[in-house]
Amino acid sequence: MAELTTLESLLEMGFGRNRAEKAVANTGNQGIEQAMDWLMEHENDPDIDEPYVPPAGNLLGGDTDQTTAGDSGEAVIAEEDELYSDNPEASRRPMTEEEKREQVKRLEELMRVKQAERRERERAEEVEREKQRRRQGQELQQIRQKIQDDEMKKLADQRRREKMEDKLARQRVKDKIARDREERAQKFGGGAPPSTVTSTQPTPPSLSSPTGQGPPPTKKEYDESRIQVRLLDGSTINAVFKAQEPLAAVRVYVQMNSNTPEGQDFTLLSPYPRHVYTELDMEKPLKELGLVPSAVLVVTKKSEGSAL
């Protein structure tokens, strides 16, 4: 039984002549399997159905003049005939229809196997591409997560810095308020903290304790005195002094904050009970003179006070 040539087999299997001729020529007429592999790989080529034009020096071994003069399909068939010229069975008998069907069936089975292998290879490649795509997606997600974590960390650090700055600012405000209070206390306390003045002055002995009656009741100690001074024109001024400040501090305050004529010498007196304070009294603390916690003093001209 004579075997069909590669070109005949491809034509019997239903491939177009142009495709079959290109497959045989491009595989060097090495067999049906190589030709079918080539067809499956190039089935989507845009020029797959265009007539085959053999290059110079005909790859299939035909004469150049014959190739250029005759049809390309005839050149391929001539090459097939030449390949069988050295075969002892060169004078082949035509194949019967049964033999052709058997060979076509065998080739179709081979093609199905090739197609199955190709589909399997394509599926494997698709699976690999999907794996690659997922890996890239995971890497991209990790990068995005890292960027988000870095942003959150930066935001948290910024918030901590802002809270620390606010805390320091509040502390500075508190310290300034404390310093202002201390300065005001020193200013109104005659330039020295109350605790210092109190500690340097001896505590006067209590004169009101009755003898033979046991310990006297505890008397509340005042460290400030609110003084109201009535001026020569009838107006009044008020000020708060430390209990241990001398009466001279009140006179100086009146000189600085009243409308007493410059150079006018004046003294102070208590109306109830009436008592005119002397220069010696000016050196005594307000507490010792009984002007704590409050008192009313009257400004009078020194001559009038002496006459009174």
Side-chain angles (χ1 to χ4, degrees), residues 230-234 260-261 264-270 274-277 298-308:
R230 187 166 68 244
L231 304 177
L232 293 173
D233 60 357
T260 303
Q264 175 69 52
D265 196 6
F266 66 89
T267 187
L268 299 172
L269 62 85
S270 292
R274 186 178 181 83
H275 177 75
V276 179
Y277 295 101
V298 179
V299 176
T300 182
K301 296 180 180 179
K302 198 166 186 179
S303 59
E304 294 179 1
S306 300
L308 291 173

Side-chain angles (χ1 to χ4, degrees), residues 63-84:
D63 294 336
T64 304
D65 295 340
Q66 289 180 334
T67 304
T68 55
D71 185 73
S72 59
E74 294 176 355
V76 174
I77 295 174
E79 175 63 19
E80 292 287 344
D81 294 338
E82 184 177 342
L83 290 175
Y84 282 94

Side-chain angles (χ1 to χ4, degrees), residues 32-34 36-38 40-41 43 107-126:
I32 188 65
E33 292 188 20
Q34 287 80 357
M36 285 193 299
D37 289 340
W38 187 92
M40 285 188 290
E41 291 175 2
E43 62 181 351
L107 294 175
E108 288 177 348
E109 181 64 26
L110 178 61
M111 188 173 183
R112 282 194 294 271
V113 172
K114 292 289 185 181
Q115 290 175 343
E117 291 176 354
R118 182 184 179 186
R119 286 194 296 270
E120 184 64 27
R121 185 170 61 253
E122 290 177 348
R123 279 197 298 269
E125 292 174 354
E126 180 64 25

